[in-house]
Every structure is written in structure tokens, then in C-alpha cells.
């Protein structure tokens, strides 16, 4: 699994055409637009859990008082504070009913492709695996909070590599505020720097998927 998402396969089918920076950027721009459109324009109600996310989004959107929002039992006892704030600001700036799913799609697709762009040696293969492996792309259609947290965490990987703990911690805390289980990713900062670790930074996106999803 490490080799698949890290892109260590040597086949020319997957790796040779993106050696130049220009081709690589074009590939990612086209891939990003296609995945984003597919993700954002799906019918969310074909999948489990989407209705409950939609209902809570409407509760938040229809309440003028933020105190009333966080006092509502459907919000207070079920959702993390960062996710509630995300719904709140999304409803202010993009008040249409589908905005929650569209903005979530932007964050998820951006976070996942950021990790592929930065760390995959074979981007085409990595994108294929993300699309075809149901626990990643398909599941992200309806397991919103967990995949939002995972996508946000991907932006912390450069700070792990540069050993900037406070920047890493800030992004991790944002991820935790979307899904508390993201706390399990905290040790990754020290795993990377461990003398006993056989992993390099290219392995970490797939490690995050394995551990968190």
C-alpha cells in the first residue's frame, strides 16, 4: 500500500510523462478540476449520513443567534466546534442548500491532491488509487467530518518535514476541531524524526489514510 500511494512503481505508464514541471502542473490542474466537479456536483442524498449533515446545516443556517445554534442538542452533543463554525461561516457566505457539500468538496479534494502533488513520485497512479479505493474518495462523499479533518491535516506535512512543531500543531488542532479522532495523528510528528523510523515524508500521506480512515 505504501508504494501504491507514494507512487514508487517504476512503470512508464504511470510515471514518465510528468517529469517536467509544466506537464505536472497541467496534469494536476485538469485532475483537480475534474475531481472537484465530480465531488461537488454529486447528489449527496444518495449516500448515508448526508441527510443528517444537511439537517444540521439548515439548523445552523436558519438560526440568527450563534448561542441558539450551539445550544441546540442536535448540534451541541453531536458535532465538534470547528465543524460547527465551518457550517456557520459557510451558511453566511454561501447560503444555498448545497453549499455545505460544495465547500467540503473544495477542502477535501484540495487537501488530498496537495499531498499527492508534494509527495508522490507517480501522481497518476496515486490519483487512480485515491479514486478507486472506496475508503478514500467514495467515502469522502458522505463521511464529511473525518475526511475534512484528514484533508486539513495533509497541509501539516511540510511542517513535519521542516520540524516546525507549532505550525504543525496549529493545523492539527484545526483538524481535531473537525473530528476529535484526528488526535491520533499527533505522534506522527515524532515518528518522522525517530532514529528507529523506516518511513520518509513520502510515506506519510498513506500512513495518515491507514491510521485515520
Amino acid at each position: 500500500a505504501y508504494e501504491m500511494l507514494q507512487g514508487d512503481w517504476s512503470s512508464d505508464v504511470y510515471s514518465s510523462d510528468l517529469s517536467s514541471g509544466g506537464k505536472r502542473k497541467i496534469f494536476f490542474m485538469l485532475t483537480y478540476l475534474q475531481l472537484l466537479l465530480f465531488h461537488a456536483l454529486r447528489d449527496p442524498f444518495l449516500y448515508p449520513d448526508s441527510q443528517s449533515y444537511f439537517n444540521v446545516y439548515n439548523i445552523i443556517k436558519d438560526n440568527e443567534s450563534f448561542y441558539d445554534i450551539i445550544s441546540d442538542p442536535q448540534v451541541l452533543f453531536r458535532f465538534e466546534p470547528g465543524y460547527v463554525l465551518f457550517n456557520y461561516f459557510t451558511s453566511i457566505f454561501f447560503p444555498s442548500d448545497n453549499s455545505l457539500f460544495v465547500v467540503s468538496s473544495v477542502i477535501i479534494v484540495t487537501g488530498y491532491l496537495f499531498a499527492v502533488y508534494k509527495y508522490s513520485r507517480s501522481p497518476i497512479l496515486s490519483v487512480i488509487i485515491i479514486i478507486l479505493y472506496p475508503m478514500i474518495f467514495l467515502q469522502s462523499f458522505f463521511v464529511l467530518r473525518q475526511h475534512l479533518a484528514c484533508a486539513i491535516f495533509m497541509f501539516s506535512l511540510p511542517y513535519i518535514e521542516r520540524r516546525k512543531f507549532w505550525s504543525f500543531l496549529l493545523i492539527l488542532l484545526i483538524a481535531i476541531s473537525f473530528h476529535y479522532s484526528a488526535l491520533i495523528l499527533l505522534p506522527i510528528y515524532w515518528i518522522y524524526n525517530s532514529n528507529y523510523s523506516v518511513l520518509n515524508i513520502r510515506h506519510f500521506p498513506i500512513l495518515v489514510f491507514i491510521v485515520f480512515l
Side-chain angles (χ1 to χ4, degrees):
Y2 280 135
E3 289 80 5
M4 292 167 70
L5 272 174
Q6 181 189 340
D8 276 340
W9 290 15
S10 59
S11 171
D12 290 341
V13 173
Y14 299 112
S15 59
S16 62
D17 290 339
L18 298 180
S19 56
S20 71
K23 290 181 179 179
R24 186 180 177 91
K25 288 179 181 178
I26 291 172
F27 167 76
F28 272 99
M29 287 174 60
L30 294 176
T31 301
Y32 178 81
L33 289 174
Q34 291 179 70
L35 290 184
L36 180 59
L37 287 173
F38 185 73
H39 202 287
L41 300 180
R42 72 196 187 280
D43 182 354
F45 302 109
L46 294 176
Y47 307 96
D49 296 338
S50 295
Q51 186 65 55
S52 63
Y53 284 122
F54 181 74
N55 292 342
V56 169
Y57 176 71
N58 279 324
I59 289 173
I60 294 172
K61 184 178 70 170
D62 295 339
N63 267 292
E64 295 183 0
S65 168
F66 187 73
Y67 176 78
D68 291 340
I69 292 171
I70 61 175
S71 300
D72 190 301
Q74 292 191 66
V75 176
L76 179 63
F77 298 111
R78 292 189 57 195
F79 296 101
E80 293 82 354
Y83 180 75
V84 173
L85 286 172
F86 168 68
N87 278 254
Y88 179 69
F89 286 111
T90 299
S91 69
I92 291 175
F93 293 107
F94 310 101
S96 69
D97 288 343
N98 251 6
S99 295
L100 170 66
F101 300 109
V102 173
V103 178
S104 296
S105 296
V106 171
I107 296 172
I108 291 169
V109 173
T110 302
Y112 289 172
L113 285 188
F114 169 80
V116 174
Y117 182 83
K118 288 282 290 183
Y119 301 113
S120 176
R121 293 176 181 171
S122 180
I124 295 175
L125 179 61
S126 297
V127 169
I128 289 172
I129 298 301
I130 285 174
I131 294 171
L132 295 183
Y133 185 56
M135 293 294 287
I136 303 178
F137 195 68
L138 178 60
Q139 191 191 69
S140 70
F141 287 177
F142 57 92
V143 185
L144 287 187
R145 287 154 46 233
Q146 199 164 347
H147 279 273
L148 282 167
C150 188
I152 290 167
F153 182 81
M154 292 299 180
F155 293 103
S156 74
L157 295 178
Y159 299 111
I160 296 175
E161 189 176 18
R162 298 171 196 162
R163 311 312 297 157
K164 294 186 176 181
F165 176 73
W166 295 111
S167 298
F168 160 79
L169 183 62
L170 175 62
I171 296 175
L172 175 62
L173 289 174
I174 296 172
I176 291 170
S177 76
F178 276 73
H179 202 284
Y180 291 135
S181 64
L183 181 62
I184 198 174
L185 299 172
L186 177 61
I188 285 180
Y189 185 85
W190 292 280
I191 291 172
Y192 173 71
N193 201 38
S194 170
N195 293 330
Y196 303 100
S197 176
V198 296
L199 304 177
N200 63 47
I201 196 64
R202 293 182 183 274
H203 293 115
F204 277 61
I206 183 58
L207 179 63
V208 171
F209 283 130
I210 291 173
V211 172
F212 191 43
L213 301 179

